[in-house]
Amino acid sequence: MTAYDALLSHARETMALAQVMGRLHWDQETMMPRGAAAQRAEEIGALESVLHARRTDPRVSDWLAAAEAPDAAGAAQLRLIRREHARACKVPADLASAIARATSIAQGVWAEARRDEDVAAFLPHLQEVLRLRREEAAALGGDPYDALLDDYEPGATGADIAALFDRMRPRLKALRDRVLDAPAPEPLAGWYAKDAQLSLARDLAERFGYDFNRGRLDLAVHPFSSGGGADVRITTRVDPADPFNCLYSTIHEAGHATYEQSIDPAFALTPLGQGVSMGVHESQSRLYENQLGRSAAFCGWLFEAMEAAFGTVGAADARAFYAAVNRVGAGPIRTEADELHYNLHIMLRFDLERALIAGDLAPRDLEAAWNDRFAADFGVPVARPSDGVLQDVHWSVGLFGYFPTYALGNVYAGCLHAALGAALPDLDADLARGDPSAATGWLRAQVQRHGGLHEPRALIEQASGAAVSEAPLMEYLEAKFGALYWL
Amino acid sequence: MTAYDALLSHARETMALAQVMGRLHWDQETMMPRGAAAQRAEEIGALESVLHARRTDPRVSDWLAAAEAPDAAGAAQLRLIRREHARACKVPADLASAIARATSIAQGVWAEARRDEDVAAFLPHLQEVLRLRREEAAALGGDPYDALLDDYEPGATGADIAALFDRMRPRLKALRDRVLDAPAPEPLAGWYAKDAQLSLARDLAERFGYDFNRGRLDLAVHPFSSGGGADVRITTRVDPADPFNCLYSTIHEAGHATYEQSIDPAFALTPLGQGVSMGVHESQSRLYENQLGRSAAFCGWLFEAMEAAFGTVGAADARAFYAAVNRVGAGPIRTEADELHYNLHIMLRFDLERALIAGDLAPRDLEAAWNDRFAADFGVPVARPSDGVLQDVHWSVGLFGYFPTYALGNVYAGCLHAALGAALPDLDADLARGDPSAATGWLRAQVQRHGGLHEPRALIEQASGAAVSEAPLMEYLEAKFGALYWL
């Protein structure tokens, strides 16, 4: 066996165990009995120890030194293995295991604190998770925030993202202010049976290319996609008063999941066999959800489909329905935000978590900082912690450095959408028939099938044929919301 | 850290990973998308490699040589660790991993073959699983069947069980023949809504002590209980024409699950923290299901509960209902068999699998051997493979040597039931109120809380105050069915 083959064989078992870890997290969010939380933390800690030991196995260094890549894909495999190995070797095993245990516990506490509107109950766990992640960042070296960010978006830096956000923010706020000054469209008014919502959600997931033979749809507090290869699962939530919550979160998660399902099967259970970064992942889910799913053309079809599913939709016609789908409002919940406020939500979290990691903001001051910033950016106060600092699962599970990848995904989606429109002149006609398959097929060929073969930014530039920039996204938003609100 | 502490700490992580493996199997049977089977086999194979490496870790030998038990429970921990380590060291890692992979695949093939009535599709997988398990038995040494049996029922031998079955079989057949000569009671006739069945099943599980805060109930093709400590899950199946299938399989699995849930929490995630053998496990589940759940007293309560749940039960009165619950018939399905035929089902499987392991029966001749033996013992032909050789999951997942523990469990249940009746004079009055808690409390105190502290036979003899014998079971059966059919 060559060093390269030994390396890939070792990586394959590690990837299989990482899939098991993913399933444990899925189970925890969807199926696990409440009383099992402490035991689950031990299970996850034990598995994390195993994964960490494999990732830091000294034989990996030896194999890496001797390995010769057989081709370009092999070279990319080696690049990813080298990066993960170097990263893992910097983090002591005890710390990795402690993070796994602490976040497993903190996630359960967060869910209960969110239900009970009890920030104080969550605070000690947030402090502990933050302490451990800062310790990890110090072990990784360099700028602490960048060290964490690099795990989700290789090559990105906090400074670059701050500069990007600085360019976007005034333009976004100006557009948002003009929209809010215009007459607001009517929201949907009705009651939408849960079973019918879930049934339509399944239909939508399939239309957007999700393969239920290699996945499933369940309920969770916070919708997510999980797993890889032949087992990629999605979740949603159902609010009888707000069908868009279920339907668009399903399209969103189907975007993540079809990305994983569409990767070249030759890369299965190898380092190349997963989405290349969180930003690229989010570019797929957001493009499916917004540029395709919230387009005028697709909304025309969805209006009819909802009339069929629910009897009456609660909108006068397809145009009023499209306006309701894209209704702009300064609501408190990120995952329910319109396309304008969504990015402002991210910028808020990005600045706060950067301050937390830098040590410039203490966890006990986080709620006040959140509420102040929200009032400043959104013009309305935060009514309750579940609408504010407790709304997202991310920090409870240690995801610091993750939030900016959502807005980066929007920027990437803007780039890809511009190229997609040029490549597919019949796109609107397809969407008006409820058929996004040409668009998802283009994305599959240009982006998804490559898995981890190219670096994130290079992948987007290659697919879109232009340098990454916020301009296409901003132009898309200005055109879409201008047409909806005052043109 | 002392050698003993190091050993227990190591065992604790291994137990946590074994829990993860259990969850993977649960997921495979309840939640996994069909297309994920091949990937799941790799995941299970990788985790099995990890477990095998931990169980054969050379440090365990060193620690065992140096460890001093702090008390009697510590001595039992060392005994179990020593036994598992010695056993694991005899099985090559490649073989253990190959068995895990092959059985994961074979289980999926079995499920499809059973659905399609296609023995030929399953045959090559059965051959491969059998080949690997025979190879394992040879590596373990001694009598091949005993080597496999010992994993499920430490201390038992195929010869002892054959002798036990030889004593039981004529007495069972004589009783069965006399029952079948008597007028048969009416079966239940009706249609029982699935949701109402599942709702009543949940109620029954709770009455028998199952804690849903540390478990859950799902559907599966073949009902089972899975997991340990704070996460013990049960499954059932629902047939609208036959509510007893769902209700009694739930009581049965609740028996297994409450055993695991009732073990002294001080033993959690240690070798003592699980049921001591499959026979003792089955003694609990069968006693819950039969001696308690199918008693005249409890059936009186269940009749009323079913009237409330379904409107009408389809039996004239409680006495007719009790007779229907205990209706004896030579049906083909083990898990639906009455208390008399159940043991005959086991004896058939025991003899066939002993012949398979000994090499006296080839897999390709198994279906014919099954059908011949079934016709001889039950007096009716096998109509289709799913009623015969394909009905049980066990062999597909490599469980050779497991079946006899079911009948051993019945024998143990007979011993415990005799002692229980003497200890609880009000038992029938309790059961007539639908309250088995005094009985399950006695079993918890006498049997369940001890986990792996005592050897199986010693545990039963200590709890029942008498030597293990088939006599109490046979006397119970003769009295019960005599009263039902001709007294």
Side-chain angles (χ1 to χ4, degrees):
Chain A
M1 199 188 266
T2 68
Y4 178 84
D5 289 341
L7 208 47
L8 267 286
S9 168
H10 184 265
R12 190 173 186 87
E13 268 199 23
T14 307
M15 301 297 293
L17 293 167
Q19 286 295 317
V20 174
M21 180 68 102
R23 211 88 59 236
L24 282 184
H25 287 293
W26 171 86
D27 183 88
Q28 182 165 335
E29 289 290 286
T30 55
M31 300 290 159
M32 187 184 81
R34 281 185 56 191
Q39 178 174 315
R40 176 57 55 91
E42 284 213 53
E43 295 167 9
I44 285 177
L47 188 56
E48 180 57 35
S49 291
V50 169
L51 284 168
H52 191 267
R54 293 188 65 88
R55 287 173 178 145
T56 57
D57 191 325
R59 292 174 304 168
V60 172
S61 300
D62 300 340
W63 288 326
L64 277 169
E68 289 176 35
D71 52 21
Q77 301 278 24
L78 291 181
R79 176 168 54 75
L80 294 184
I81 293 171
R82 186 171 286 115
R83 184 156 71 198
E84 179 177 80
H85 181 63
R87 191 178 169 91
C89 287
K90 290 178 184 165
V91 181
D94 288 353
L95 178 58
S97 182
I99 290 172
R101 281 193 180 82
T103 53
S104 176
I105 295 280
Q107 182 177 9
V109 174
W110 164 78
E112 296 187 6
R114 182 174 184 269
R115 184 197 61 204
D116 302 339
E117 304 290 357
D118 186 355
V119 177
F122 178 54
L123 187 58
H125 294 271
L126 175 65
Q127 284 169 326
E128 176 65 3
V129 170
L130 178 65
R131 184 185 71 74
L132 290 166
R133 289 286 275 159
R134 291 183 73 201
E135 197 176 323
E136 184 185 7
L140 289 167
D143 176 83
Y145 190 80
D146 289 353
L148 301 179
L149 171 63
D150 194 65
D151 203 25
Y152 312 118
E153 197 64 26
T157 68
D160 286 347
I161 290 172
L164 173 74
F165 288 176
D166 283 347
R167 290 195 301 275
M168 291 171 69
R169 202 169 166 191
R171 202 165 158 185
L172 263 179
K173 282 182 127 181
L175 176 58
R176 189 272 314 263
D177 290 345
R178 211 177 149 193
V179 164
L180 289 187
D181 281 344
E186 288 297 312
L188 234 52
W191 193 258
Y192 307 84
K194 288 192 173 191
D195 284 353
Q197 286 196 41
L198 283 171
S199 172
L200 181 54
R202 290 181 65 90
D203 179 38
L204 286 169
E206 283 186 326
R207 281 173 189 275
F208 278 86
Y210 183 65
D211 176 5
F212 276 98
N213 189 44
R214 296 180 291 148
R216 51 180 291 131
L217 173 67
D218 294 280
L219 296 174
V221 171
H222 191 99
F224 65 95
S225 165
S226 157
D231 195 347
V232 189
R233 305 182 184 187
I234 58 177
T235 61
T236 187
R237 55 186 171 200
V238 186
D239 176 351
D242 174 13
F244 298 147
N245 198 322
C246 169
L247 301 182
Y248 281 100
S249 77
T250 299
I251 297 177
H252 180 97
E253 301 307 335
H256 285 299
T258 56
Y259 182 7
E260 293 290 333
Q261 288 184 332
S262 300
I263 295 170
D264 187 338
F267 299 160
L269 293 182
T270 77
L272 293 189
Q274 49 191 343
V276 70
S277 77
M278 294 305 117
V280 175
H281 241 297
E282 197 69 10
S283 76
Q284 304 304 293
S285 58
R286 298 290 287 176
L287 208 164
Y288 281 44
E289 177 189 355
N290 292 329
Q291 280 90 345
L292 301 178
R294 287 195 169 92
S295 65
F298 191 75
C299 283
W301 174 85
L302 185 59
F303 175 71
E304 303 290 341
M306 286 184 65
E307 290 264 329
F310 302 107
T312 176
V313 171
D317 55 22
R319 163 76 202 189
F321 177 79
Y322 171 57
V325 164
N326 289 285
R327 195 165 182 271
V328 173
I333 305 296
R334 174 182 61 84
T335 57
E336 299 166 14
D338 58 76
E339 291 180 73
L340 303 183
H341 283 102
Y342 192 91
N343 295 298
L344 296 176
H345 274 288
I346 295 306
M347 292 169 189
L348 177 157
R349 288 156 178 76
F350 170 70
D351 287 335
L352 292 181
E353 71 175 16
R354 247 180 129 203
L356 285 170
I357 293 294
D360 297 335
L361 176 64
R364 67 173 174 279
D365 299 324
L366 177 63
E367 185 182 15
W370 179 296
N371 292 348
D372 290 349
R373 169 70 178 263
F374 187 83
D377 276 13
F378 289 71
V380 286
V382 173
R384 56 188 77 83
S386 65
D387 281 351
V389 71
L390 290 183
Q391 79 178 257
D392 290 311
V393 69
H394 300 63
W395 292 335
S396 79
V397 292
L399 292 176
F400 294 93
Y402 190 105
F403 276 121
T405 68
Y406 289 125
L408 209 53
N410 284 335
V411 169
Y412 291 161
C415 299
L416 293 170
H417 181 233
L420 182 66
L424 299 176
D426 296 332
L427 179 59
D428 273 351
D430 289 345
L431 293 175
R433 288 197 317 273
D435 178 11
S437 62
T440 56
W442 186 88
L443 289 165
R444 188 174 298 130
Q446 298 297 321
V447 176
Q448 298 176 359
R449 73 182 168 92
H450 296 301
L453 193 59
H454 310 295
E455 291 286 359
R457 179 175 284 260
L459 174 67
I460 299 298
E461 297 191 340
Q462 175 185 309
S464 62
V468 167
S469 152
E470 74 281 9
L473 174 68
M474 293 307 307
E475 286 157 20
Y476 152 78
L477 291 173
E478 285 159 355
K480 173 174 181 174
F481 288 93
L484 260 165
Y485 277 81
W486 58 79
L487 286 185
Chain B
M1 198 188 265
T2 68
Y4 178 84
D5 289 342
L7 208 47
L8 266 286
S9 168
H10 185 266
R12 189 173 186 87
E13 269 199 24
T14 307
M15 301 296 293
L17 293 168
Q19 286 294 317
V20 174
M21 180 68 101
R23 210 89 59 234
L24 282 185
H25 287 294
W26 171 85
D27 183 88
Q28 182 164 336
E29 290 290 285
T30 55
M31 300 291 158
M32 187 183 84
R34 280 185 55 193
Q39 178 172 316
R40 176 58 53 91
E42 283 212 54
E43 294 168 11
I44 286 178
L47 189 55
E48 180 58 35
S49 292
V50 170
L51 284 168
H52 191 267
R54 292 188 67 87
R55 288 174 177 145
T56 57
D57 191 325
R59 292 175 305 169
V60 172
S61 301
D62 301 340
W63 288 326
L64 277 169
E68 289 176 33
D71 52 21
Q77 301 278 24
L78 292 182
R79 176 168 53 77
L80 294 185
I81 293 171
R82 186 170 285 118
R83 185 156 68 199
E84 179 176 79
H85 181 64
R87 190 177 170 90
C89 287
K90 290 178 184 165
V91 181
D94 289 351
L95 178 58
S97 183
I99 290 173
R101 281 192 180 82
T103 54
S104 177
I105 295 279
Q107 182 178 9
V109 174
W110 163 78
E112 296 187 7
R114 181 174 184 269
R115 184 197 61 203
D116 301 338
E117 305 289 357
D118 186 356
V119 177
F122 178 53
L123 187 58
H125 294 271
L126 175 65
Q127 283 169 328
E128 177 63 4
V129 170
L130 178 65
R131 183 185 73 74
L132 291 166
R133 289 286 276 161
R134 290 183 74 202
E135 196 176 323
E136 184 185 7
L140 290 166
D143 176 84
Y145 189 80
D146 289 353
L148 301 179
L149 171 63
D150 194 65
D151 203 25
Y152 312 117
E153 197 64 26
T157 67
D160 284 349
I161 290 172
L164 173 74
F165 287 176
D166 283 347
R167 290 194 300 275
M168 290 171 70
R169 202 168 166 194
R171 203 165 156 183
L172 265 178
K173 283 183 126 180
L175 176 59
R176 188 270 315 261
D177 289 346
R178 209 177 149 192
V179 165
L180 290 187
D181 281 346
E186 287 297 312
L188 234 51
W191 192 259
Y192 306 85
K194 287 192 175 191
D195 285 354
Q197 286 197 40
L198 283 171
S199 172
L200 182 54
R202 290 181 65 91
D203 179 38
L204 286 169
E206 283 186 325
R207 283 175 187 272
F208 279 86
Y210 182 65
D211 177 5
F212 276 96
N213 189 44
R214 296 180 290 147
R216 52 180 290 133
L217 174 66
D218 293 280
L219 296 174
V221 171
H222 191 100
F224 64 96
S225 165
S226 157
D231 195 346
V232 189
R233 305 182 183 186
I234 58 177
T235 61
T236 187
R237 56 185 170 200
V238 187
D239 176 351
D242 174 14
F244 298 146
N245 198 322
C246 169
L247 301 181
Y248 282 100
S249 78
T250 300
I251 298 177
H252 180 96
E253 300 308 334
H256 285 300
T258 56
Y259 182 7
E260 292 291 330
Q261 289 185 331
S262 301
I263 294 171
D264 187 337
F267 299 160
L269 293 182
T270 77
L272 293 189
Q274 49 191 342
V276 70
S277 76
M278 295 304 119
V280 174
H281 242 297
E282 196 70 11
S283 76
Q284 304 304 292
S285 59
R286 298 290 289 174
L287 206 164
Y288 281 44
E289 177 189 356
N290 291 329
Q291 279 91 346
L292 301 178
R294 287 194 168 92
S295 66
F298 191 76
C299 283
W301 174 84
L302 185 59
F303 175 71
E304 303 288 341
M306 286 185 64
E307 290 263 330
F310 301 106
T312 176
V313 171
D317 55 23
R319 164 75 201 191
F321 178 79
Y322 171 57
V325 164
N326 289 285
R327 195 164 182 272
V328 173
I333 305 296
R334 173 182 63 84
T335 57
E336 298 167 13
D338 58 76
E339 290 180 73
L340 304 183
H341 284 101
Y342 191 90
N343 294 299
L344 297 175
H345 273 289
I346 296 305
M347 292 169 189
L348 176 158
R349 288 156 178 78
F350 170 70
D351 287 336
L352 292 181
E353 70 176 16
R354 247 182 129 200
L356 285 170
I357 293 295
D360 296 335
L361 176 64
R364 67 174 174 278
D365 299 325
L366 177 63
E367 184 183 16
W370 179 296
N371 292 348
D372 290 349
R373 169 71 178 263
F374 187 83
D377 276 11
F378 290 71
V380 287
V382 174
R384 57 188 75 84
S386 66
D387 281 352
V389 71
L390 289 183
Q391 78 177 263
D392 290 311
V393 70
H394 299 63
W395 291 335
S396 80
V397 292
L399 291 175
F400 293 93
Y402 190 105
F403 275 122
T405 68
Y406 289 125
L408 208 54
N410 285 336
V411 169
Y412 291 162
C415 299
L416 293 170
H417 181 235
L420 182 67
L424 299 177
D426 296 332
L427 179 59
D428 273 351
D430 289 345
L431 294 175
R433 288 195 318 275
D435 179 10
S437 63
T440 56
W442 187 88
L443 289 166
R444 188 174 298 128
Q446 299 295 322
V447 175
Q448 298 175 0
R449 73 182 169 91
H450 297 302
L453 194 58
H454 310 295
E455 291 285 359
R457 178 175 283 259
L459 173 68
I460 299 299
E461 296 191 340
Q462 176 186 309
S464 63
V468 168
S469 150
E470 75 281 9
L473 174 67
M474 293 308 307
E475 286 157 20
Y476 153 77
L477 292 173
E478 284 160 355
K480 174 174 181 175
F481 288 92
L484 261 165
Y485 276 82
W486 58 79
L487 286 186

